C-alpha cells in the first residue's frame, strides 16, 4: 500500500525539495528502505555503518515513535503516515 | 542569509531573558528559498525538555513537539527553517555539543544572555561535511 513519508526541511535537499514522498510499504522499515532506494544519498544521513537508524533520527508512525512500537517492524495500514523527526539538542560547554 | 525583522529579534531575546539562567529554545518558521536563503515568518517558542538540573547549559526539543510544529508549519504553508536557543552567560557561538547535534540546512540562531540581559545574537549554519559552523548573515526587513 502507498503511504506518505514526511521529510524534515533539513533533508529535503536530498529529495528534490519534496516534503512528502509516497512509498509502497507494509512496515516502517520498508518505508524507510524504499525512500533510500528512491533517494540513495539519504541513506548515509539515516543509517549508521552498522545499518541501524542513527540515534538522532526518529521515525514516527501516526505520531508515535516506532521505538515504542515494534521498531522497524511496526506495521503500516491504510491511512498510516510515516514521519522522519530529527532530534534537536544543543547547549554550551562548561 | 536569513531574514529576521525587529520583532523576530525581540521575541528571541525576550525568550532568552525570560528563561535565564536556563537555556531557552524554539523554532524559526518561514520559507527556504531555492538559493538556500531563508525568509522568516514566525518565531515559535517552545519549552526546554531537558531535566531542570541540566537546563542551564543544555536544551532538548521533544520529538513530539517537533512533529506538532512541522504539522503546524505545513498547514500554514511554512517550513521549519531554523532553531534558536540561548547561551546564558556565554558567547553566542556554537559549542562542540551544538555541532555534535546539528543538522544541515537549518539556521542555528544563538542569543547570548549576560546576567539576565540579552546581548549578541548571531546565526550559524553547519558545513555539509559537519566540520564546523559558518556564521550566517542576518538581514533585517
Amino acid at each position: 500500500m502507498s503511504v506518505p513519508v514526511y521529510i524534515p526541511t533539513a533533508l529535503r535537499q536530498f529529495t528534490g525539495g519534496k516534503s512528502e514522498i509516497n512509498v509502497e510499504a507494509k512496515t516502517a522499515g520498508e518505508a524507510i528502505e524504499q525512500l533510500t532506494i528512491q533517494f540513495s544519498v539519504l541513506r548515509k544521513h539515516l543509517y549508521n555503518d552498522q545499518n541501524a537508524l542513527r540515534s538522532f533520527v526518529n521515525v514516527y508512525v501516526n505520531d508515535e515513535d516506532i521505538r515504542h512500537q515494534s521498531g522497524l517492524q511496526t506495521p503500516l495500514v491504510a491511512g498510516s503516515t510515516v514521519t522522519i523527526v530529527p532530534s534537536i539538542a544543543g547547549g554550551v560547554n562548561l | 542569509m536569513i531574514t529576521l525583522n525587529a520583532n523576530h529579534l525581540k521575541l528571541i531575546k525576550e525568550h532568552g531573558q525570560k528563561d535565564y539562567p536556563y537555556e531557552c529554545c524554539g523554532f524559526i518558521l518561514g520559507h527556504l528559498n531555492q538559493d538556500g536563503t531563508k525568509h522568516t515568518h514566525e518565531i515559535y517558542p517552545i519549552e526546554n525538555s531537558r531535566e531542570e538540573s541540566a537546563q542551564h547549559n543544555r536544551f532538548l526539543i521533544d520529538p513530539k513537539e517537533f512533529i506538532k510544529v512541522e504539522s503546524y508549519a505545513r498547514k500554514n504553508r511554512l517550513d521549519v527553517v531554523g532553531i534558536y536557543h540561548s547561551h546564558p552567560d556565554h558567547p553566542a557561538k556554537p559549542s562542540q555539543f551544538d555541532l555534535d547535534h546539528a543538522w544541515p540546512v537549518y539556521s542555528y540562531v544563538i542569543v547570548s544572555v549576560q546576567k539576565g540581559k540579552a546581548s549578541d545574537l548571531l546565526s550559524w549554519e553547519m558545513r555539509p561535511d559537519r566540520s564546523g559552523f559558518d556564521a550566517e548573515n542576518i538581514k533585517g526587513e
Side-chain angles (χ1 to χ4, degrees):
Chain A
M1 108 205 49
S2 180
V3 295
V5 181
Y6 293 117
I7 313 294
T9 317
L11 296 179
R12 284 181 207 159
Q13 62 181 310
F14 310 116
T15 59
K18 292 181 181 171
S19 61
E20 183 180 336
I21 305 292
N22 284 301
V23 298
E24 292 288 328
K26 293 176 184 164
T27 65
E30 281 182 25
I32 300 300
E33 193 65 30
Q34 285 300 316
L35 184 70
T36 58
I37 289 171
Q38 284 189 50
F39 304 98
S40 57
V41 71
L42 262 181
R43 191 163 190 91
K44 67 178 178 186
H45 294 282
L46 299 178
Y47 292 96
N48 62 22
D49 294 340
Q50 287 73 48
N51 213 29
L53 278 181
R54 292 185 179 278
S55 60
F56 49 83
V57 173
N58 306 292
V59 177
Y60 278 60
V61 170
N62 301 334
D63 296 345
E64 188 67 41
D65 192 337
I66 63 169
R67 292 187 182 100
H68 302 144
Q69 302 186 66
S70 303
L72 292 172
Q73 299 306 314
T74 301
L76 303 175
V77 296
S80 292
T81 60
V82 178
T83 308
I84 297 172
V85 183
S87 283
I88 306 286
V92 296
N93 294 326
L94 296 180
Chain B
M1 185 277 292
I2 183 168
T3 64
L4 287 166
N5 66 27
N7 189 50
H8 299 144
L9 296 172
K10 180 170 172 272
L11 288 170
I12 294 171
K13 288 183 173 183
E14 284 180 350
H15 192 187
Q17 292 179 165
K18 182 171 78 70
D19 285 13
Y20 181 89
Y22 297 142
E23 292 203 4
C24 75
C25 55
F27 289 96
I28 301 168
L29 308 182
H31 293 295
L32 178 64
N33 302 316
Q34 287 196 334
D35 62 1
T37 61
K38 297 144 196 158
H39 184 77
T40 300
H41 274 256
E42 187 174 337
I43 300 299
Y44 193 108
I46 62 164
E47 293 294 318
N48 185 349
S49 291
R50 276 306 295 257
E51 64 276 19
E52 191 172 338
S53 61
Q55 285 184 1
H56 63 291
N57 72 322
R58 292 285 182 263
F59 79 92
L60 172 69
I61 294 178
D62 185 333
K64 278 188 181 288
E65 195 74 40
F66 189 94
I67 288 179
K68 199 168 105 182
V69 174
E70 278 268 359
S71 171
Y72 170 84
R74 266 200 305 275
K75 281 178 193 157
N76 289 281
R77 299 179 179 277
L78 298 171
D79 295 313
V80 174
V81 298
I83 294 111
Y84 73 86
H85 70 283
S86 61
H87 279 182
D89 298 317
H90 280 77
K93 291 181 178 174
S95 65
Q96 183 61 45
F97 191 82
D98 286 328
L99 179 61
D100 291 343
H101 294 80
W103 287 78
V105 177
Y106 290 141
S107 292
Y108 283 83
V109 170
I110 303 176
V111 58
S112 173
V113 183
Q114 301 289 335
K115 296 179 179 172
K117 179 78 179 161
S119 56
D120 295 341
L121 185 151
L122 300 170
S123 185
W124 305 86
E125 274 185 316
M126 186 180 72
R127 293 178 198 134
D129 64 2
R130 304 192 65 90
S131 62
F133 282 96
D134 291 317
E136 181 182 37
N137 186 30
I138 297 175
K139 185 180 170 192
E141 290 177 304

